[in-house]
Amino acid sequence: SFIESKMKIELPNVLEIIIVLFIFSANILGEMASFYEKIPFWDTMLHTLNGFICAGVGFGLIDILNREERINIHLSPIFVCAFSFCFSMTVGAVWEFFEFGMDFFFGMDMQKDTVVNTINSVLLTEGNINQITTINGITDTVVNGQSLDIGGYLDIGIIDTMKDMFVNFIGAVVYNVAGFFYLVGRNKHAGI
């Protein structure tokens, strides 16, 4: 709304509807209806779509500005795609900061836990020298002498965060590969 009113640029209604549906899927279905717990791939699907959608928003904004006669910029397709990719990854990173902040400051669990059976650490090496100690076959996590009975070691967020960033990356790359060929084809057709 801000961009549309201040710059007199009309964003496609389909894009606005997709964004509203995404927010509904993440907040209402994901958090309130517990889809994150009920559907194992829900978080991964949404972060992949987020990468795709945010790449589309970044791509669309730059492409609209590129074609706007009142604004004198003419960016190459590779630059439009590079901006779009960086825009998508930045939004994904800021979202992960938000998840961490909610978990750290408000005691939430937005960075979903992962159970792993192997860990690698230099901290566990005697003398703390820069050598890796690997522990395989972890079957339990014990906290304050009490077993959590979860079948392995409890990772409290780093695996979820890195997976989210990776699938955001995939969504952004897929969108921008298609976007690049679209722009190159449109430019050839227009004789640019």
Side-chain angles (χ1 to χ4, degrees), residues 125-183:
T125 302
E126 198 171 308
N128 290 333
I129 57 175
N130 197 21
Q131 290 182 347
I132 297 170
T133 297
T134 300
I135 301 174
N136 291 308
I138 301 170
T139 59
D140 196 12
T141 299
V142 177
V143 177
N144 295 332
Q146 182 178 354
S147 171
L148 298 181
D149 197 29
I150 56 173
Y153 170 73
L154 183 63
D155 171 82
I156 56 170
I158 191 68
I159 292 173
D160 178 71
T161 296
M162 291 298 101
K163 181 186 68 173
D164 291 349
M165 291 299 295
F166 183 69
V167 296
N168 189 100
F169 171 86
I170 291 171
V173 166
V174 167
Y175 188 95
N176 283 294
V177 166
F180 176 79
F181 288 112
Y182 164 77
L183 288 176

Side-chain angles (χ1 to χ4, degrees), residues 1-159:
S1 295
F2 175 78
I3 291 170
E4 287 179 334
S5 66
K6 293 294 181 191
M7 299 188 77
K8 307 288 190 259
I9 295 173
E10 185 69 29
L11 294 177
N13 290 334
V14 172
L15 180 60
E16 291 180 27
I17 291 169
I18 289 171
I19 291 170
V20 169
L21 287 174
F22 179 81
I23 292 169
F24 177 79
S25 298
N27 294 322
I28 305 300
L29 296 177
E31 293 292 343
M32 298 175 83
S34 300
F35 275 34
Y36 291 122
E37 288 78 30
K38 294 176 183 175
I39 304 173
F41 60 87
W42 191 256
D43 186 53
T44 301
M45 176 192 69
L46 287 178
H47 280 281
T48 307
L49 285 173
N50 179 64
F52 194 85
I53 291 168
C54 287
V57 170
F59 186 94
L61 290 174
I62 290 296
D63 190 48
I64 288 169
L65 292 174
N66 228 10
R67 293 182 291 143
E68 181 62 44
E69 292 180 16
R70 294 176 293 154
I71 300 170
N72 190 22
I73 61 171
H74 303 285
L75 304 174
S76 70
I78 194 76
F79 187 81
V80 171
C81 292
F83 174 85
S84 170
F85 173 80
C86 291
F87 181 83
S88 178
M89 292 304 294
T90 300
V91 170
V94 169
W95 181 256
E96 292 304 318
F97 293 158
F98 173 74
E99 284 186 358
F100 172 78
M102 294 303 288
D103 291 356
F104 189 78
F105 294 112
F106 298 103
M108 307 292 288
D109 186 22
M110 293 185 76
Q111 296 173 295
K112 302 301 183 220
D113 304 332
T114 305
V115 175
V116 295
N117 300 106
T118 300
I119 59 172
N120 302 303
S121 175
V122 296
L123 185 64
L124 299 174
T125 302
E126 198 171 308
N128 290 333
I129 57 175
N130 197 21
Q131 290 182 347
I132 297 170
T133 297
T134 300
I135 301 174
N136 291 308
I138 301 170
T139 59
D140 196 12
T141 299
V142 177
V143 177
N144 295 332
Q146 182 178 354
S147 171
L148 298 181
D149 197 29
I150 56 173
Y153 170 73
L154 183 63
D155 171 82
I156 56 170
I158 191 68
I159 292 173

